[in-house]
Amino acid sequence: MKTQTLLSAAFLAALLAGCGSSGSDANDDDPGSQSSSSLSSESSQDSSSSSSSSSDSSSSSSVSPPNTGGLSNDCINLATNPSVNWRDTGLQSDQDIVECLSATLGRALGYGEDATGGYDPAGSSALTIITTQDSRPVEQQIVEAIAGNDHNWIVFDKFDFAEPHEIGLYRNYCNNSTVLNRLNATQEECVDYRLWCSNRGISDSAACMESFFNDRLNLGSLPIRNPVIGSNTTIDGRMSQAYFRFSGFAIGRDSSGSPTQTSNNVILTHLNFQGAGHTEDHGLDPDMIRSTGASADIWIHRNTFDLTGDSAFDVKVGARNITLSFNRVTDVVRAALHGSSDSRTINEHITTTFHHNAFITRDERYMTFGNTGRRVPLIRRGTSHMFNNVFINYRKDVFSARVGARILFEDNAFVINQIHQEKTSVEASLSELKNNLLRDVRTDASLRAEGSHLWFSDGLCALIDSTQTDLSTTSGNDIPDLGATYNTHSRTLRSEHHLDAGQDLVDYVYATAGHDQVLPFNSPLAGDVHYVLALERCSGTTSADSI
């Protein structure tokens, strides 16, 4: 798989040689001459890409490579070149650097469209660089950086995190006597769970994590909790090989179904979350991202989630206006809970947009996760708009809608490797899958599914055309066009980059979803759909790629 880093290096060389330019007015003799004022609002709002909405778009001969989007060479260099660190260009002020990072990331489409995170257009943006050179542990730096409500864009030093670097937020509790007693460990063993395992004769990596995280730390009375992100914050993992082990972050805070801290305007992007294996109802509730406390305007974009212990991204206690886009969710048993109790009326405010996410069950876990690889989402009372997502090797009860919840399910693709055909005939297998995939809608909830289809495929995700099965269905009350309520930017972006469910959608999402994949259409630096499809297509889901 070609990563974003590889693409960016070649792309940057072409740009700086004058190829593919869209007319940037940067002065080549003075790299610092492009001030933040030249990063116009149009640069951050309008993608220069365009993609066909037809299902056979890959056959088009029109291929548009990436261009500058009107950004300066300094900005492009900063945002795409792993060899140029965050303060190594002519962009020196925090405001200039953060404005560049915001512009090159682009804007969210859908309910989270107002999220700007750590970027303050009024000029008070702060840049925080996490480094291994600080006297404080990385985990402590992160927790301190996310605690406030001032505009803060958090990145990872490109050189310090050029190689894989594990971050365990639980380590912030390794000086706690209750935790150490539970582990029967020294502080050093708590920080380094592999040392803890080695000292106890556990050599297998999976067995080690199971013993440490899912046995010894599986106790709700322990003080370990997900650190809470404050308002106006971005955590941006671009060009970093850092990854989070076992648990992640909360956005906002709640107690017994009531908000106790509301965190608005948050972006989490290009982060890599690696679980320690799924444990049902783990005592520490190790979600990777939990939006709660009536928090609003949240964009969860281009992250990777692999075999997480609990959810990839839960939404609870009335959190709203959330977009989840271009995330890669692999072997996650229960990806997204939306509201954790039937009785909490506050959850009627939940609104989420899911688009261009890849939900993958690897071939070797197809039967193991068969009936539980779902909850995308399990939603109570709220509203979710899901379009242009790809589900690979999902077989039953993908979502559950309860207590007045509404799901609009448009133009999504389901792909199942035909080696998993469970009935004697193809027709019987497809019929069973059709009946099981979208069935869990309770009598008081509503679903409208249209333009979504199921296919069997070969081992490389090549769809078998003859198996195409329509999944259109309705249940409950009529659901209007939820996209009509989005702002002009979102409606335009969706229209320009819509793909019908089919091979191009499968390959485009596979190529772009995840922290290190090819740039998607949100970024003004992205190539169009034909450019992306020429670079990479689905290569199957057999090999494990977790860290």
Side-chain angles (χ1 to χ4, degrees):
M1 173 64 69
K2 294 180 177 66
T3 65
Q4 176 190 335
T5 300
L6 293 175
L7 172 63
S8 297
F11 165 38
L12 180 67
L15 282 174
L16 297 184
C19 300
S21 172
S22 65
S24 172
D25 58 359
N27 185 338
D28 291 338
D29 295 328
D30 181 6
S33 66
Q34 182 93 342
S35 68
S36 63
S37 63
S38 66
L39 291 176
S40 68
S41 59
E42 291 182 355
S43 297
S44 62
Q45 294 176 10
D46 298 327
S47 170
S48 61
S49 307
S50 63
S51 74
S52 168
S53 62
S54 68
S55 60
D56 61 351
S57 59
S58 66
S59 64
S60 170
S61 60
S62 172
V63 177
S64 298
N67 58 57
T68 66
L71 302 174
S72 70
N73 287 345
D74 273 338
C75 179
I76 295 165
N77 214 356
L78 185 72
T80 64
N81 192 337
S83 299
V84 176
N85 223 333
W86 300 113
R87 297 196 185 277
D88 288 352
T89 73
L91 302 177
Q92 286 293 297
S93 74
D94 283 12
Q95 181 67 19
D96 285 359
I97 294 171
V98 171
E99 187 171 8
C100 167
L101 293 175
S102 177
T104 52
L105 184 65
R107 288 175 55 192
L109 186 170
Y111 283 120
E113 60 197 5
D114 291 334
T116 61
Y119 172 55
D120 178 15
S124 64
S125 309
L127 179 74
T128 296
I129 302 173
I130 305 300
T131 174
T132 61
Q133 309 304 312
D134 197 287
S135 60
R136 299 166 297 163
V138 166
E139 291 83 2
Q140 182 182 344
Q141 293 176 57
I142 293 171
V143 168
E144 292 177 1
I146 66 176
N149 293 318
D150 294 335
H151 286 86
N152 191 12
W153 198 287
I154 301 164
V155 295
F156 297 82
D157 185 277
K158 295 181 185 180
F159 301 154
D160 289 355
F161 295 93
E163 299 297 329
H165 185 106
E166 185 175 78
I167 298 172
L169 294 170
Y170 80 92
R171 291 170 180 153
N172 286 301
Y173 295 88
C174 279
N175 59 357
N176 182 279
S177 59
T178 302
V179 173
L180 295 178
N181 288 338
R182 174 67 179 174
L183 291 168
N184 189 23
T186 64
Q187 186 169 342
E188 183 183 19
E189 287 178 317
C190 177
V191 169
D192 183 359
Y193 63 88
R194 294 178 179 86
L195 175 63
W196 184 90
C197 291
S198 176
N199 289 343
R200 287 154 182 79
I202 305 172
S203 57
D204 178 76
S205 177
C208 172
M209 288 190 287
E210 181 69 19
S211 182
F212 185 90
F213 292 108
N214 300 328
D215 180 12
R216 301 311 300 162
L217 293 185
N218 186 1
L219 185 65
S221 61
L222 293 174
I224 298 172
R225 296 293 182 270
N226 283 16
V228 178
I229 300 172
S231 296
N232 304 313
T233 301
T234 296
I235 308 178
D236 185 345
R238 273 182 277 187
M239 288 165 286
S240 161
Q241 294 302 309
Y243 63 98
F244 293 87
R245 174 69 74 192
F246 177 62
S247 62
F249 300 94
I251 302 171
R253 198 189 313 258
D254 67 84
S255 177
S256 301
S258 297
T260 59
Q261 178 180 338
T262 297
S263 300
N264 297 324
N265 190 31
V266 173
I267 297 174
L268 300 181
T269 186
H270 291 78
L271 303 177
N272 185 358
F273 296 96
Q274 298 289 323
H278 178 78
T279 297
E280 192 73 7
D281 297 324
H282 195 291
L284 298 185
D285 197 16
D287 298 333
M288 291 307 186
I289 300 174
R290 182 190 313 127
S291 301
T292 187
S295 300
D297 301 327
I298 297 165
W299 189 17
I300 298 170
H301 179 58
R302 299 203 69 198
N303 302 293
T304 296
F305 305 84
D306 197 323
L307 198 60
T308 64
D310 204 337
S311 75
F313 25 61
D314 273 359
V315 180
K316 298 181 178 180
V317 192
R320 66 202 75 178
N321 296 345
I322 301 169
T323 290
L324 308 110
S325 56
F326 291 100
N327 298 288
R328 192 179 200 87
V329 183
T330 302
D331 288 347
V332 176
V333 174
R334 302 186 184 278
L337 177 68
H338 282 25
S340 56
S341 171
D342 286 358
S343 64
R344 292 175 180 168
T345 58
I346 192 173
N347 289 326
E348 67 188 12
H349 299 294
I350 289 174
T351 49
T352 59
T353 299
F354 287 80
H355 73 87
H356 295 89
N357 300 286
F359 296 97
I360 300 168
T361 299
R362 294 187 180 94
D363 288 326
E364 56 264 40
R365 291 196 172 98
Y366 179 81
M367 293 305 298
T368 305
F369 284 5
N371 292 339
T372 56
R374 56 177 185 172
R375 216 162 77 170
V376 191
L378 188 163
I379 182 170
R380 296 173 168 93
R381 298 184 182 273
T383 297
S384 191
H385 185 196
M386 308 181 69
F387 63 89
N388 272 189
N389 299 284
V390 173
F391 298 84
I392 298 179
N393 287 341
Y394 274 61
R395 66 191 284 261
K396 188 176 181 182
D397 295 335
V398 171
F399 53 67
S400 178
R402 308 177 184 182
V403 201
R406 303 187 305 167
I407 298 177
L408 179 57
F409 198 81
E410 299 181 293
D411 305 307
N412 300 291
F414 288 82
V415 184
I416 297 177
N417 189 338
Q418 195 166 13
I419 64 171
H420 303 304
Q421 180 180 319
E422 297 179 55
K423 300 291 184 181
T424 303
S425 72
V426 170
E427 293 76 15
S429 293
L430 292 169
S431 177
E432 180 180 57
L433 289 163
K434 175 183 172 70
N435 291 333
N436 288 344
L437 281 169
L438 308 183
R439 69 178 183 173
D440 193 5
V441 181
R442 308 299 166 89
T443 56
D444 55 352
S446 301
L447 165 70
R448 175 156 64 94
E450 56 190 27
S452 297
H453 300 276
L454 159 71
W455 291 265
F456 278 133
S457 74
D458 66 12
L460 299 179
C461 309
L463 305 184
I464 301 172
D465 292 340
S466 62
T467 66
Q468 179 173 333
T469 303
D470 180 39
L471 297 177
S472 296
T473 184
T474 60
S475 181
N477 297 326
D478 183 51
I479 300 176
D481 178 10
L482 300 178
T485 66
Y486 299 159
N487 66 20
T488 301
H489 162 76
S490 287
R491 295 197 306 271
T492 300
L493 202 62
R494 184 183 176 202
S495 175
E496 290 179 347
H497 300 282
H498 169 82
L499 287 170
D500 292 336
Q503 188 71 61
D504 283 354
L505 176 64
V506 171
D507 291 334
Y508 183 78
V509 170
Y510 197 91
T512 53
H515 73 286
D516 62 352
Q517 304 299 108
V518 181
L519 286 171
F521 60 69
N522 300 81
S523 173
L525 302 179
D528 67 16
V529 63
H530 315 297
Y531 179 85
V532 172
L533 294 179
L535 290 170
E536 192 65 59
R537 288 180 175 269
C538 178
S539 56
T541 59
T542 298
S543 342
D545 53 7
S546 57
I547 297 175

